[in-house]
Structures are given as structure tokens and as C-alpha cells.
Amino acid sequence: MYHYKDNSLFCEDTEISDLVNTYGTPLYVYSKNILKDNYARISNAFSHLGAKVCFSVKSNSNISILNILYKEGAYFDIVSGGELFRLLNIGVKGDRIIFSGVGKTESEIRKGIKANILYFNIESEDELNLINKIAIDLNMHVNITIRVNPNVDAGTHKHITTGTQENKFGLSVGQAYNIALKTADLYGITLDGFHCHIGSQITSTTPYLKAVKNLIRLSNKLKNKIPIKSINIGGGFGVPYGNENTPIPDISEFSNQLEPLLLNNDLQLFIEPGRYISATSGILLSELLYIKKSRNKNFAIIDAGMNDLMRPALYNSFHKITTVSKKIDSEEICIYDIVGPVCESSDCFGKNRKLKKLTKGDYIVIMNAGAYCASLSNNYNSRLKPAEVLVSRNNHALIRKKETIDDILSMERIVDL
Ligand code: LLP
């Protein structure tokens, strides 16, 4: 739904240059209909397995985005009291929420229990005991799943791999087995099933199949001792960012390959996609401030920085970069490093990008910026987080105001001891 018409970029039926003129830059833009299509595509692909689709809130936690997905029927995967608050604030019922995370605090656990969430996905025995104690204190009963670390390498960037022994997440299969047995004696909680999430931006079905086989083997081993009702295979489904050498498998390929493993098991399946639903819906718009030439480089310096979109700096991630105007008058192609104003050499959105010759005032588009972009933004260099806008056909509306310096300073005090 991002396309050029008369050489000018549109999001659905809205001309991007209108958005730039109305809201300024840097600016995040999201297409409502891409978001809905992505959600529908993954729900349909897993519907023959009866899967419940839990949107991973950390990928994009704007309350308008969450509200759209709630109306579409999504469940939600959260990792903090803040994410829980966002959902409750827009009226999401607790029974659509799953709470993961290695370091849930006592206060977060209490809030989750009081909100009657579907289950806590526990990551250690200490956490299990604490949840049991709090549930008994509150005279309530809580469902849990155990997050298993299946020791499977997802073949993705090391910073977003989560399912190997090196990673802090989950419990080994052996530990999960022993803890599952112990849950029978804890009367504040009931074991619902097992969970794993092996990493993000996974582009092959093989590691999933290995991880799911581990979960099913574990469930079968326990079957006669303790009932296991569900398995949750996490998120991580890769999306095309534009530089892949091997094509990313279609989402139905994932679900079809899982089918034979899940048949005859009578387990409720949960999945937790974040990026798959939100990444391609969003872009970051930025104005070109300066062109600077060094001996062997052209730097295109834009008004967005690594604080606004950290993925390239954190993981060396590739995002396709283009311009709002197709620049048909210019034939000259130049090679640029597209960089931001932040005082770090890693503040670079793309190296050696071939673009039609740029001039000051051009608008630059960083594509596929709907997941882990706005949600990872920060105030480094006292920069203000950008505004966010939602587009549906030819309508658009602000869904997050641009921050002001007063917003930031209101958190600070002048104290001299
Ligand atoms: N479930 C759990 C337990 C997770 O930890 C995550 C992501 C997801 C689901 C959703 O994964 P997805 O479908 O979005 O890949 N900031 C990194 C990604 C970190 C992912 C953290 N966990 C990035 O920008 O690539």
C-alpha cells in the first residue's frame, strides 16, 4: 500500500508529502490496512491449527495500533506492567493477555493477577514460587506456562537469538520437566502448558520444527502425570527488509510444516508474532539537511537519528531507503551513506546506498519501520521522540504527538547537594 502515483509516494490513498507538510519530520507513518492485512494473513495461515494469535506489544506499543488489532480479534503478548497498563487502558480484557519476561517484579505480578490475565509465562523456579505465593495472598488462582529454552539456534542475528543455552531466557527441557511436576503441589497455580520463543526475524522453518518437537516430546512425557493443555511457539516470523539473498518462506509454509507435529496432540496452539504484523505497516520520514562529501564518501545527513530508529545501530539491520519524490528530472545516480545528527559513528541508517542525486530539502523514507522502531526510540542527545500518524485510505490522524523539550525536562529537578 506504499506506492508511487505521479512520481510521488502514497500511503494507501494519502500523499506522503501532505503528511510531511502537516506534521513535519521526523515522522512515523503507519498504514492501518497493511496492519490489518498482515494480521489477517497470519491468522488465516494458522487457523487450520486453531491457533490464538497474540500480538507482541513490544514491537509496536502505540495504543491506536493495539486498539486496531484488538478489534480484529488479537490476543496480546506482554513483558511489563507498562504494556499491561496500555492494554487495560484501551479496554482489552485480561483473558486476551499473556505475560512473559525474565524479570517480572512483584508489583507487576500482582497487577497481572488482578487483571485476570490468561496466563503468566514463567522463566524461573523463583518466579513460579513468587507467583504462587502472591496468588494465595490474593486468594486467587493463576494459570502459568513454562518457558522452555530448547537450545535451538534460530540462525538469526546473535542479539535477537533467544533459544540457546547462552541466552538468559527460559528453562532447559530437564528443568522444565521437574518444575512442571512441582506445580502439582502449588495450589495457587495451574500449569497450562509450555512456551518457547527461539528468536526474531527467523527466515527458515527448520529451527521452529526442532523447537516444537522438543515441546511436544516434553508434553507427551508428562501426559500421564499432569495434564498439558497448550503449547506456545512464540513469534519470530521473518519479514522481507529488501536485502535477503534467500527468500523468506511464506507464512503458510510455516504453519503447514507444523501441522503434522501438532495433529493428534489436542493441544491449544498460541503464536506471538510482533514484527510479522507491524513491520511493513510503518515508515520513518525524514528531511535531508545537508550533503557532505569526504574524500571517498557522500554523506546524506538527515533530521532523524539513531535515537528515533535504533535497529541499524544495534543490529546492523538493513532498511530499504528511498525518497518521497521519485525525482524523475534527475538521471544522476550517487552513492550515499545516509546518516543522522547524533554524535555517534553508529548513527547511520544505510551505507553505500544508490539513490538519484539528492538535494537539500528532499524527503527521505526509511521503509519497514513499523516494528521495534518507535518502540525502541529514546531521548539520547536530548532529541525529541517523533510524532506518529495513522493512515487509512485518504484519512490521517496523529496517534502520538511529537515530544517537546518541556516533556523531557518535566522529569528532572535542579538539585545541588
Ligand atoms: N514472544 C516473545 C517471548 C518475544 O520475546 C518476542 C520478541 C516475540 C514474541 C515477538 O517476536 P517477533 O515476532 O516480533 O520477532 N528489537 C529486535 C527484536 C527483539 C525481539 C524481542 N522479542 C529487532 O529490532 O529486531
Side-chain angles (χ1 to χ4, degrees), residues 242-253:
N243 66 332
E244 290 78 15
N245 298 326
T246 45
I248 294 172
D250 185 75
I251 198 72
S252 331
E253 223 175 287

Side-chain angles (χ1 to χ4, degrees), residues 139-297:
N139 202 16
M140 288 178 78
H141 199 84
V142 178
N143 288 327
I144 61 121
T145 56
I146 300 174
R147 178 163 178 175
V148 177
N149 183 327
N151 198 22
V152 166
D153 185 354
T156 185
H157 189 281
K158 69 176 185 332
H159 289 167
I160 51 176
T161 292
T162 50
T164 72
Q165 268 167 7
E166 302 301 306
N167 307 125
K168 67 181 174 184
F169 300 100
L171 294 153
S172 70
V173 173
Q175 288 173 315
Y177 178 84
N178 291 331
I179 290 177
L181 289 177
K182 285 188 189 165
T183 59
D185 302 327
L186 302 176
Y187 60 94
I189 58 166
T190 298
L191 177 66
D192 197 84
F194 294 106
H195 168 280
C196 72
H197 170 78
I198 54 176
S200 207
Q201 185 55 13
I202 302 173
T203 53
S204 151
T205 54
T206 316
Y208 274 101
L209 298 177
K210 278 193 195 155
V212 172
K213 276 182 194 155
N214 282 346
L215 289 197
I216 294 193
R217 214 176 294 130
L218 178 61
S219 306
N220 287 340
K221 214 170 140 194
L222 279 158
K223 217 161 51 192
N224 298 328
K225 303 186 169 71
I226 190 162
I228 305 294
K229 288 183 248 153
S230 70
I231 63 165
N232 183 334
I233 61 171
F237 311 100
V239 301
Y241 279 99
N243 66 332
E244 290 78 15
N245 298 326
T246 45
I248 294 172
D250 185 75
I251 198 72
S252 331
E253 223 175 287
F254 274 101
S255 71
N256 290 339
Q257 292 192 16
L258 287 176
E259 185 165 1
L261 301 181
L262 295 167
L263 280 181
N264 310 322
N265 273 299
D266 208 20
L267 292 167
Q268 169 65 54
L269 176 66
F270 289 87
I271 58 171
E272 296 174 336
R275 185 191 317 270
Y276 188 88
I277 294 172
S278 54
T280 55
S281 76
I283 58 173
L284 177 63
L285 294 169
S286 180
E287 183 177 347
L288 176 67
L289 299 176
Y290 305 105
I291 297 285
K292 171 170 155 172
K293 288 181 193 299
S294 70
R295 198 191 294 173
N296 53 5
K297 286 264 180 205

Side-chain angles (χ1 to χ4, degrees), residues 16 26 52 63 77 86 119 187 267 310 339 353:
I16 295 287
K52 294 199 160 128
I63 51 179
D77 151 53
R86 283 174 178 273
Y119 58 75
Y187 60 94
L267 292 167
M310 292 196 84
V339 299
R353 298 299 178 91

